[in-house]
Amino acid sequence: MCLLRRTPSPPVPLPPPHAPFLSILPLPLGRARLVNVPLHCSLSAKMLFAAAASALALASVALAQDQTIMVGQGGLKFDPQFVNATKGSVITFQFVAANHSVAESSFVTPCQPVDGGFNSGFVPIAANNTPGVWNLTVTDDTAPVWFYCPQQAKMPFHCTSGMVGAINGGVTGKDVNAFVAAASSATTIVYPSTVLSGVGAFATLAPTTTATGPAGSGTSAPSGSGSDSGSAAAPTNSGNAAGSLQASGVFAFLAAAFGVAVL
């Protein structure tokens, strides 16, 4: 730590305008004057490197774009149908009505599982009950992650009705609109096994819900094709998919790091 030392009481000239730091020091006779702080009080190269590395680490976390997607709110759809998210972002699926699943597919076969893809399993929700929640973490933001609802207990089937979506959904001509069009004309719908880990995204836990609906609605994701409880009314929910750029902590850290070092 660099300490300032008291200078003799006789007055001295003011430092030149280019002085790096200025400090006001009290004198024995109650007077105050400006003294120049030596350059060796500045940060060392090692301290600068450590501060920069810590700032970059915090920034990578702070730039995560967490999103929320409503499942089954207002019909057979994901809302929003498409979101952008950086690596490390958490996509929260809120199941608010009926009985749906989120399964990973591909652009070529929208209603069939992709090899190694995830599947939340069915999450039945009774009318006016607490939504089920499933968190999916993005591990690769360089390629689209396509998904669909494989429910086909009764007509209309969910995937071919447009209940598909995407994370980082491609370019024009191979975007979410083209994906919806391809799903609507699909002739095969496949329900995959329940798997948490997928291609480009993964979950660590199965969907959770505190729903207390009638027998058969359950609170965990059943296996098989499941049963569709119809278009049950969804509870009011203000969730949206606006990317939250979480920059809190970064500037405070930088200010604290450099402020302490300078002093």
Side-chain angles (χ1 to χ4, degrees):
M1 180 176 181
C2 185
L3 299 177
L4 296 176
R5 57 187 179 81
R6 189 182 300 274
T7 56
S9 56
V12 295
L14 288 176
H18 62 270
F21 303 102
L22 296 177
S23 176
I24 297 178
L25 297 178
L27 298 176
L29 299 180
R31 294 174 297 168
R33 57 189 174 80
L34 297 173
V35 294
N36 192 27
V37 177
L39 286 175
H40 67 264
C41 291
S42 59
L43 293 175
S44 68
K46 184 179 294 185
M47 292 173 68
L48 281 171
F49 178 80
S54 299
L56 288 175
L58 284 177
S60 64
V61 174
L63 292 177
Q65 294 175 300
D66 295 348
Q67 309 276 11
T68 298
I69 297 177
M70 312 306 291
V71 183
Q73 179 167 273
L76 303 180
K77 63 180 181 179
F78 295 102
D79 184 20
Q81 203 164 35
F82 164 73
V83 296
N84 280 316
T86 55
K87 182 178 179 180
S89 299
V90 176
I91 311 300
T92 299
F93 290 89
Q94 289 196 11
F95 298 79
V96 298
N99 190 6
H100 301 289
S101 178
V102 181
E104 187 173 6
S105 64
S106 67
F107 183 84
V108 177
T109 53
C111 300
Q112 299 180 46
V114 68
D115 290 341
F118 57 76
N119 178 26
S120 68
F122 285 111
V123 184
I125 303 295
N128 301 316
N129 272 327
T130 303
V133 175
W134 192 52
N135 293 320
L136 193 68
T137 301
V138 176
T139 58
D140 183 4
D141 57 8
T142 63
V145 175
W146 309 100
F147 55 86
Y148 71 109
C149 176
Q151 178 63 267
Q152 48 186 317
K154 66 179 183 180
M155 295 292 288
F157 297 156
H158 295 192
C159 184
T160 52
S161 297
M163 195 168 185
V164 296
I167 302 168
N168 302 324
V171 296
T172 303
K174 198 176 180 181
D175 55 15
V176 69
N177 294 322
F179 187 57
V180 172
S184 65
S185 59
T187 58
T188 303
I189 302 175
V190 178
Y191 177 80
S193 301
T194 300
V195 179
L196 296 181
S197 227
V199 180
F202 77 98
T204 55
L205 296 172
T208 58
T209 175
T210 56
T212 56
S217 64
T219 59
S220 60
S223 59
S225 63
S227 61
D228 190 349
S229 61
S231 55
T236 301
N237 194 297
S238 59
N240 61 72
S244 55
L245 198 60
Q246 303 169 353
S248 59
V250 175
F251 296 108
F253 169 80
L254 291 173
F258 287 98
V260 171
V262 169
L263 295 176

